[in-house]
Amino acid sequence: MVRNGVHRRGLIAGGAGLVLASAVGFPGRSAAGLRLGDYPFGLGVAAGDPAPDGFVIWTRLAPRPLDEHGGMPMRPVAVTWEVSEDSRFARVVRGGEATARPELAHSVHVEVEGLSPRRPYWYRFRLEGGDASPVGMARTAPAAMDTPDRVRLAVAGCQHHQAGWFDAWRHLSQEDDLDAVFHYGDYIYEGGPAANAPLILDREGRPADRRHVGGEVYSLDDYRRRYAQYKMDPDLQAAHAAAAFIVSFDDHEVDNNWASDFDQDGTPPEVFILRRASAMQAWYEHMPVRRAQAPGLQGLTMHRRLDYGQLVRMHVLDTRSYRSDQPCETPDQTNCRAPGAPGTMLGAGQEAWLADSLRNSARWNLIAQQVFVMPVRRLMPNGEIRADAGDTWGGYPDARARLVKTITDLNLTNVVVASGDAHIHAVGSVPVRDDEPDGPAAAVEFLATSIASGGDGAAETEGTRAILAGSPHMRLVNAQRGYQLFDIAANEWRTELKVMDQIQKPGGAISTLARFSVEPDRPALG
């Protein structure tokens, strides 16, 4: 609702799940006189899911982030927020009060509305009579019928805290004119301290401690603490403060290689869904997403679409929650789907939703999702070509065939796929037929490497050489760390691959590995 020209929204726990409600009906307690001890905004701020008239802004009160309840008292706390047309907050255009509630780890999600399209805004939070948060910046999307000259997006993910420093996020925060960042997933990693983690050094070359606090995470409190440890990283905070994020999740936000009701260890589904529910609540609590992504008794809905005027429609997919279990890859393997059994990656409902979403007049369609869509074929030392299956779309050939058929039935030539998960840069095309990888293509795919997972990596490895030799539909495979940049115009899509020279010691430099282009009337790399 609007009161005295300001939008006021609070977050409450409803009987059927989490919903947003007016802060007037459910007021938070004043923070005046509240003794929190340490600085309460140590996890930073974030914005997400831009629309033409606004975006989500987020923070979480946690004066002692790794302590029980983040060091917060178990009671609601009122938080004020402001959005300004300038970074000094001389022209505040929206503001109000939200409620940080203990049921949601004292996180705050405000859906800001009433802003002008296609321009930057600055935002911050404050406790009454107390501390102010860092300042963040986010850009609204173009108006619905506008066709902007350019949209500039970044793609990144897989930020394993134990594998290296997050300098790539610092470099990404300094990129010019980003409209948004697509985070494809693996925001956290669920395991305990890793015995085989890469050696991480400090600036003086001494061993540094980047180990996870606590063991493998299972409970809601475990997941909250793990997110807090990651969000304390200053380079990740800088990236969030520099641009709005469009976030999805992959496997490590819950458990490695999970799929629907199944984990990789054969845990009974009725037990695993308890862990999954805790993980999904913690994901929501720490991500700048809208009320539509809030978890309820039936879980949460992550897939959604975002439009950048008439230039780009972005279809954000969920390739975890509805998929069949992974296929068995050896005869003696258990806790998997029988070989040859049909499988789904998206589920029938999401497949129908995507097919409908692809019926649009946008110049480009961006399918933003988590894992390899194009086939991954490796040339083995004995001359055999081995196709990867398992946790990628390669393990779900029926589902990939249905996706390709949807694209070709609609006569779309303007589909670009953004992916991640594999800890490599990979650039290629999604063939119309799996058995003809160098034949006609349905889409171009840009798979972005990791921020940290895999350690320093290398430009070439035995694995990258095997993929390139066995996959004629791929133009580049590289195993360094980094991210990708998309510069999208009406007649040309340009992608830059960014790589780090090191991440196992801080201060790594970023460089451009390669550039590719695509035209909207032909799904092929230029």
Side-chain angles (χ1 to χ4, degrees):
M1 67 176 295
V2 180
R3 170 175 289 194
N4 296 330
V6 255
H7 291 249
R8 297 162 58 89
R9 297 184 185 272
L11 203 50
I12 66 166
L18 307 177
V19 297
L20 283 170
S22 165
V24 174
F26 299 90
R29 297 185 184 180
S30 169
L34 185 66
R35 295 183 179 179
L36 299 180
D38 299 317
Y39 181 62
F41 297 106
L43 301 184
V45 298
D49 282 14
D53 69 338
F55 36 72
V56 182
I57 58 174
W58 171 94
T59 194
R60 178 190 166 196
L61 304 180
R64 292 180 296 280
L66 301 182
D67 287 0
E68 185 178 25
H69 309 307
M72 287 293 293
M74 288 293 95
R75 71 185 207 193
V77 175
V79 181
T80 59
W81 57 272
E82 293 178 305
V83 175
S84 174
E85 292 181 341
D86 70 298
S87 61
R88 302 182 68 177
F89 289 82
R91 300 187 302 277
V92 173
V93 293
R94 288 292 182 271
E97 182 180 281
T99 302
R101 295 190 173 273
E103 296 91 337
L104 294 174
H106 291 96
S107 63
V108 175
H109 299 70
V110 177
E111 296 188 20
V112 182
E113 300 171 342
L115 304 180
S116 298
R118 201 182 172 194
R119 64 148 296 156
Y121 287 93
W122 288 260
Y123 62 93
R124 66 185 177 188
F125 299 88
R126 188 184 298 274
L127 290 180
E128 183 180 341
D131 293 299
S133 75
V135 173
M137 190 277 285
R139 295 175 183 273
T140 49
M145 300 309 295
D146 185 20
T147 302
D149 297 334
R150 172 177 91 151
V151 167
R152 185 167 162 84
L153 304 173
V155 182
C158 286
Q159 54 204 47
H160 200 318
H161 190 270
Q162 298 185 131
W165 301 96
F166 290 177
D167 289 274
W169 280 127
R170 173 173 52 82
H171 289 294
L172 189 149
S173 75
Q174 297 165 0
E175 296 285 355
D176 294 333
D177 300 325
L178 283 180
D179 286 282
V181 177
F182 171 52
H183 194 297
Y184 60 73
D186 291 347
Y187 195 98
I188 62 166
Y189 281 72
E190 80 282 9
N196 60 346
L199 176 63
I200 310 302
L201 304 176
D202 65 15
R203 292 189 180 277
E204 284 70 46
R206 300 170 301 197
D209 187 0
R210 293 278 291 182
R211 291 175 297 177
H212 284 153
V213 174
E216 184 159 349
V217 294
Y218 287 90
S219 71
L220 179 56
D221 285 341
D222 289 343
Y223 283 103
R224 285 169 170 170
R225 181 167 63 174
R226 185 60 50 83
Y227 274 102
Q229 184 177 10
Y230 277 59
K231 280 189 165 285
M232 290 167 67
D233 186 277
D235 295 324
L236 176 57
Q237 287 191 20
H240 272 298
F245 273 47
I246 299 167
V247 294
S248 62
F249 52 73
D250 195 22
D251 53 340
H252 290 290
E253 283 86 352
V254 182
D255 183 44
N256 183 53
N257 286 357
W258 73 277
S260 184
D261 297 339
F262 308 101
D263 70 0
Q264 65 178 350
D265 303 314
T267 303
E270 66 272 17
V271 177
F272 174 66
I273 60 173
L274 301 176
R275 181 183 187 184
R276 188 186 68 191
S278 294
M280 291 293 94
Q281 178 169 337
W283 177 82
Y284 174 77
E285 289 171 348
H286 292 85
M287 296 296 110
V289 291
R290 296 181 181 274
R291 74 190 79 175
Q293 278 65 63
L297 297 181
Q298 304 304 315
L300 61 81
T301 300
M302 186 269 278
H303 61 277
R304 58 206 191 272
R305 68 176 65 100
L306 296 93
D307 287 333
Y308 279 84
Q310 293 292 300
L311 184 60
V312 186
R313 169 163 285 188
M314 186 173 181
H315 318 261
V316 182
L317 303 188
D318 179 350
T319 61
R320 290 289 166 188
S321 299
Y322 311 103
R323 73 155 85 173
S324 310
D325 203 1
Q326 280 89 358
C328 300
E329 298 185 70
T330 60
D332 59 342
Q333 193 175 354
T334 60
N335 308 322
C336 51
R337 188 171 90 250
T344 179
M345 181 64 88
L346 303 178
Q350 190 179 186
E351 281 189 11
W353 170 86
L354 177 60
D356 180 68
S357 190
L358 286 167
R359 294 182 177 93
N360 64 72
S361 58
R363 189 67 170 166
W364 295 96
N365 280 283
L366 170 58
I367 296 180
Q369 52 95 63
Q370 293 74 43
V371 296
F372 261 118
V373 175
M374 55 186 166
V376 181
R377 296 155 48 98
R378 300 173 191 264
L379 177 63
M380 308 308 292
N382 63 2
E384 174 192 358
I385 296 292
R386 182 176 300 171
D388 283 7
D391 197 50
T392 72
W393 284 76
Y396 303 77
D398 296 340
R400 181 164 60 202
R402 290 193 297 272
L403 174 62
V404 167
K405 187 175 186 300
T406 296
I407 293 171
T408 55
D409 283 355
L410 293 172
N411 296 315
L412 295 175
T413 59
N414 63 354
V415 176
V416 175
V417 179
S419 311
D421 178 67
H423 309 164
I424 57 176
H425 281 303
V427 178
S429 59
V430 180
V432 172
R433 292 178 291 277
D434 285 1
D435 60 356
E436 194 179 345
D438 53 352
V444 168
E445 182 169 1
F446 295 106
L447 185 139
T449 190
S450 58
I451 290 289
S453 300
D456 283 343
E460 265 191 27
T461 67
E462 182 180 343
T464 63
R465 288 191 293 269
I467 293 173
L468 269 178
S471 303
H473 55 294
M474 292 196 197
R475 289 269 293 274
L476 179 147
V477 183
N478 168 281
Q480 292 171 276
R481 309 285 74 83
Y483 53 88
Q484 294 185 4
L485 296 173
F486 296 163
D487 272 297
I488 309 166
N491 295 319
E492 184 183 29
W493 178 302
R494 291 183 294 171
T495 295
E496 288 188 18
L497 278 58
K498 297 288 189 174
V499 293
M500 297 289 297
D501 64 342
Q502 63 177 26
I503 63 150
Q504 291 174 222
K505 184 178 179 180
I510 195 84
S511 62
T512 299
L513 171 67
R515 294 180 176 91
F516 295 91
S517 64
V518 187
E519 297 176 358
D521 58 354
R522 194 167 69 97
L525 292 162

